[in-house]
Amino acid sequence: MINWDVIFSVSLESLVGATTIVYALAAIGLNVHFGYAGLLNFGQSAFLGVAAYGMAITVSTFDLPFWLGILVGLAATVVLALLLGIPTLRLRADYLAIVTIAAAEIVRLLFRSVSLSEWTGGSDGLQSFSQSFYDLNPYSGGISTTLISFSARELWIITVGWIVVALALFIVWLLMRSPWGRVIKAIREDEDAVRSLGKSVFAYKMQALILGGVLGSFGGYIFALSLAAIQPDTYGTEFTFYMYTIVILGGAARVLGPVVGSMIFWLLLTFINALLPALVSAGTIPTSIMTTNQAGAVGYILVGVGLILLLIFRPQGIFGDKKEVMLDAR
Amino acid sequence: MPGEPTGAAPARAGSTARDRATEALRDVAREPGAAKPDPILVADGVVRRFGGLTAVNVNHVEIQRGAITALIGPNGAGKTTFFNLLTGFDRPDEGQWKFNGDAVQGVPPHKVARRGMVRTFQLTKALSRLSVIDNMRLGAVGQKGETFWRALIPSLWRKQEAEITERADALLERFKLDKKREDFAGSLSGGQRKLLEMARALMVEPHMVMLDEPMAGVNPALTQSLLGHVKNLREDGMTVLFVEHDMDMVRDISDWVIVMAQGQVIAEGTPDSVMADPRVIDAYLGAHHDGAPDPSAPIDNEPAAGPKATDGPAERE
């Protein structure tokens, strides 16, 4: 017997849940880099990582206030953007991709290194930094309906998360319809043309790198706070690859693209990962095809196939304009 | 076509920019590095080497203000490299040059553009996924809304944006692109892209426009209109320096011609004097014979045939 209620409720919860918010914020930042400015940043996970660690180390290791932790995290994000940008933004786009993917791994390995474990907690990471955040929780109890249920803690992080998402979208929307956004999009098309028109391409690329990193860093905070713990290995390269998937799924250089992309991505993944084991246990799928242990991996395979089909039949993503994508072919 | 200035037409000084340019250049010596009465650009000892190859080695060259100067030469002569150096897109190994009296060597390209020397590219750089009107708006300098923080508050830049748009629309109309206003620039034809690039350069309000092969890949129907636009730049008080392979165009619109070969300026003069110059003909037709160039032999050939035949789509020095 398949318990459809549970499958639907976990799917619905994932649509608005903390994970969707984290990836939406990370992808909003990545969309500024990749979608608008054409910067191939493959180290977005590092921006989320330094922000989360900046906050956690400040609060957990040094016992300083939560708000100071947020500021330290933001400062760390800006410093990372400067460190990555100064040597690479003058080079061709693909060099940025190589350097950022390497930098993200360096950052992750630093967080898990033994010699720094006194501050970072090594591969175990850090806990007990989120109390001040949950002390602010105005919800006294959770909600529980037939379809969805969230605890008070979950409600609080979801509320804060979606407010931050809305603010991030508003900022991106404002900027991308301004002359500043026009320069950014023009840089994506052709840097030399923009230079020949009297704009400092380097300065704009740096601003875009910092902006996207800072927007993404809020995803890092929500991620750490929702789990009330941080672990270095969650900030690996596959984190960034999921973000790229989401940006492309939603439609690059579209304001709402990353949010809708994140919702669809996690809805699909959660639904399939709930459905397959249920089908196996109910005997609908015989164990000769897959066992419940294998169902998880098959879920990812199915989502992967779905994304490939999407890119073939709708390369512009959900919000994109096919005409615009085809201009690339020239 | 207006007659070539052979001194027959007694130019009434001040009648048109063309007459003024002709008049000003009349007594200039027809030799490499000739001094001009009112140069906007003066370059000295500009050298650019790529490994063992000296791509550019220009001793001295002056560009007359308010005139249309053509820069011609066979493929690999260093014309585009010289363009890149002058506009800051490439760095020279040696040399200095002054634009409007200010030294500009070592100045990054965007600052060169802001000083009023704006270039276009041999391979047209339309910003494909921006609309035609946004391409134009981008050209305006000193935009308040282009600073990050001010961009967030539309009321700070809306008025200026309206003024820029008005100027852009006027230019689009002049270049007959107004019907394409909302289209993606990537959907334009090759010739229309050239027009857009030139119009966009004018949004910068330059003193000097540098056109790298403005006619390359343009369909003949558009050529005349492009030529007209280049001539209009001079009438509007701008100086034009352009690289071109099409000798008919050079003859038609330029007041002065500078010839480069193997990185050096080998000849200068009016279009007619340059095209009759044996050194120029040698450079194009590749006279590798010993001793002094023999002017009689190459002149039997139509000089324009050489350059046209060497017209290459992607010249990279």
Side-chain angles (χ1 to χ4, degrees):
Chain A
M1 196 53 224
I2 299 169
N3 193 342
W4 289 103
D5 286 359
V6 174
I7 293 172
F8 280 120
S9 73
V10 291
S11 303
L12 273 180
E13 282 162 19
S14 76
L15 204 56
V16 293
T19 312
T20 299
I21 295 168
V22 170
Y23 279 84
L25 283 167
I28 289 169
L30 190 62
N31 196 28
V32 170
H33 293 153
F34 169 73
Y36 289 106
L39 297 173
L40 281 172
N41 170 22
F42 274 93
Q44 182 72 343
S45 64
F47 284 100
L48 279 79
V50 294
Y53 266 91
M55 173 189 70
I57 291 173
T58 308
V59 177
S60 176
T61 311
F62 294 101
D63 223 5
L64 291 165
F66 173 71
W67 293 110
L68 190 64
I70 296 283
L71 289 180
V72 169
L74 282 177
T77 312
V78 174
V79 169
L80 178 67
L82 291 171
L83 280 178
L84 282 179
I86 288 169
T88 56
L89 287 181
R90 290 180 200 278
L91 303 172
R92 249 179 32 219
D94 25 357
Y95 290 103
L96 184 72
I98 297 167
V99 171
T100 46
I101 202 166
E105 281 300 276
I106 293 171
V107 166
R108 183 178 69 84
L109 292 171
L110 277 180
F111 287 150
R112 62 169 299 154
S113 76
V114 177
S115 45
L116 294 177
S117 60
E118 188 185 335
W119 299 283
T120 60
S123 56
D124 293 334
L126 293 168
Q127 297 81 33
S128 66
F129 50 82
S130 52
Q131 199 47 49
S132 322
F133 174 76
Y134 287 107
D135 285 347
L136 298 169
N137 189 353
Y139 299 108
S140 47
I143 51 164
S144 183
T145 67
T146 44
L147 268 179
I148 50 168
S149 61
F150 287 115
S151 71
R153 278 168 72 96
E154 283 172 330
L155 272 183
W156 177 226
I157 194 98
I158 289 171
T159 309
V160 173
W162 282 108
I163 290 171
V164 176
V165 168
L167 284 174
L169 289 179
F170 183 60
I171 288 170
V172 170
W173 176 75
L174 267 182
L175 283 172
M176 291 311 161
R177 59 199 283 278
S178 77
W180 186 87
R182 187 161 63 218
V183 179
I184 293 293
K185 285 180 265 183
I187 288 172
R188 171 191 71 199
E189 298 300 309
D190 195 309
E191 288 181 17
D192 278 344
V194 178
R195 280 193 191 99
S196 79
L197 297 171
K199 327 283 178 198
S200 170
V201 168
F202 178 75
Y204 281 100
K205 288 209 287 194
M206 185 57 93
Q207 289 167 24
L209 190 65
I210 293 173
L211 173 69
V214 166
L215 291 174
S217 75
F218 285 94
Y221 298 138
I222 303 288
F223 194 32
L225 292 171
S226 69
L227 300 170
I230 50 173
Q231 247 200 325
D233 291 335
T234 47
Y235 299 93
T237 46
E238 74 276 11
F239 198 11
T240 305
F241 296 150
Y242 283 176
M243 296 172 203
Y244 263 98
T245 308
I246 285 165
V247 169
I248 292 163
L249 176 64
R254 303 285 144 177
V255 173
L256 284 175
V259 177
V260 175
S262 183
M263 290 169 87
I264 292 175
F265 183 78
W266 287 106
L267 175 73
L268 276 179
L269 201 59
T270 315
F271 177 72
I272 289 177
N273 280 342
L275 180 66
L276 283 181
L279 288 177
V280 175
S281 331
T284 320
I285 297 175
T287 45
S288 56
I289 293 178
M290 71 174 102
T291 65
T292 40
N293 293 334
Q294 292 164 334
V298 175
Y300 278 103
I301 292 171
L302 289 180
V303 171
V305 170
L307 289 168
I308 291 170
L309 292 176
L310 177 100
L311 285 183
I312 292 171
F313 293 107
R314 204 174 163 80
Q316 70 273 35
I318 289 162
F319 283 109
D321 176 348
K322 185 144 193 178
K323 260 197 320 203
E324 195 177 331
V325 174
M326 288 307 151
L327 282 177
D328 268 353
R330 258 181 290 192
Chain B
M1 291 300 114
E4 276 309 311
T6 47
R12 285 169 300 158
S15 48
T16 65
R18 179 183 190 123
D19 295 342
R20 284 196 298 277
T22 310
E23 180 67 22
L25 291 165
R26 194 167 56 186
D27 298 327
V28 174
R30 271 78 166 138
E31 61 186 26
K36 310 291 186 305
D38 180 17
I40 189 170
L41 183 75
V42 182
D44 277 298
V46 180
V47 176
R48 178 72 171 105
R49 297 187 197 91
F50 296 109
L53 174 79
T54 305
V56 169
N57 183 8
V58 172
N59 280 329
H60 184 82
V61 75
E62 298 184 4
I63 309 292
Q64 170 69 14
R65 188 189 307 274
I68 300 181
T69 304
L71 184 61
I72 65 169
N75 281 329
K79 306 181 296 290
T80 296
T81 309
F82 191 47
F83 246 57
N84 289 344
L85 292 171
L86 291 178
T87 48
F89 280 82
D90 192 7
R91 297 275 171 120
D93 295 297
E94 291 163 33
Q96 45 298 138
W97 57 96
K98 285 187 171 172
F99 177 69
N100 267 335
D102 300 322
V104 278
Q105 71 273 7
V107 175
H110 68 275
K111 288 192 177 154
V112 173
R114 282 188 212 162
R115 289 188 189 192
M117 179 166 29
V118 174
R119 69 170 301 178
T120 66
F121 295 86
Q122 186 179 349
L123 301 169
T124 321
K125 294 185 183 297
L127 304 162
S128 301
R129 285 179 291 171
L130 258 58
S131 66
V132 167
I133 187 71
D134 270 347
N135 264 266
M136 293 295 289
R137 287 184 184 126
L138 183 75
V141 289
Q143 296 191 43
K144 294 186 189 115
E146 286 185 354
T147 15
F148 183 85
W149 297 108
R150 280 191 273 194
L152 289 166
I153 307 162
S155 58
L156 290 179
W157 47 263
R158 219 168 245 155
K159 189 162 157 279
Q160 193 190 27
E161 181 86 349
E163 289 163 10
I164 289 167
T165 307
E166 203 175 309
R167 201 150 61 80
D169 277 328
L171 275 171
L172 282 182
E173 204 170 324
R174 180 169 140 194
F175 281 78
K176 301 207 168 47
L177 288 168
D178 43 335
K179 288 192 183 63
K180 301 278 179 186
R181 190 180 192 270
E182 303 301 333
D183 293 5
F184 284 127
S187 70
L188 299 181
S189 74
Q192 287 170 329
R193 287 184 200 197
K194 290 272 181 198
L195 285 171
L196 175 61
E197 199 180 25
M198 202 185 292
R200 193 176 64 194
L202 296 187
M203 286 298 290
V204 184
E205 301 185 307
H207 301 298
M208 180 167 175
V209 183
M210 319 252 296
L211 307 169
D212 196 350
E213 297 202 25
M215 295 298 155
V218 175
N219 105 43
L222 266 177
T223 311
Q224 279 309 315
S225 114
L226 254 170
L227 282 177
H229 289 305
V230 176
K231 288 180 187 167
N232 280 337
L233 300 182
R234 178 178 55 194
E235 297 306 321
D236 292 345
M238 280 170 257
T239 307
V240 179
L241 177 67
F242 71 102
V243 169
E244 189 51 65
H245 282 294
D246 184 333
M247 283 302 153
D248 290 335
M249 177 193 171
V250 170
R251 199 186 285 270
D252 181 9
I253 67 168
S254 45
D255 303 308
W256 195 255
V257 179
I258 296 171
V259 188
M260 284 181 77
Q262 293 171 336
Q264 294 173 318
V265 174
I266 58 159
E268 271 195 53
T270 58
D272 284 335
S273 71
V274 154
M275 284 172 205
D277 191 322
R279 283 169 301 188
V280 178
I281 298 160
D282 281 354
Y284 272 106
L285 298 180
H288 290 300
H289 48 74
D290 298 325
D294 174 8
S296 65
I299 277 175
D300 290 339
N301 300 307
E302 169 57 44
K308 265 189 171 172
T310 56
D311 195 351
E315 173 186 305
R316 292 289 296 187
E317 281 95 336

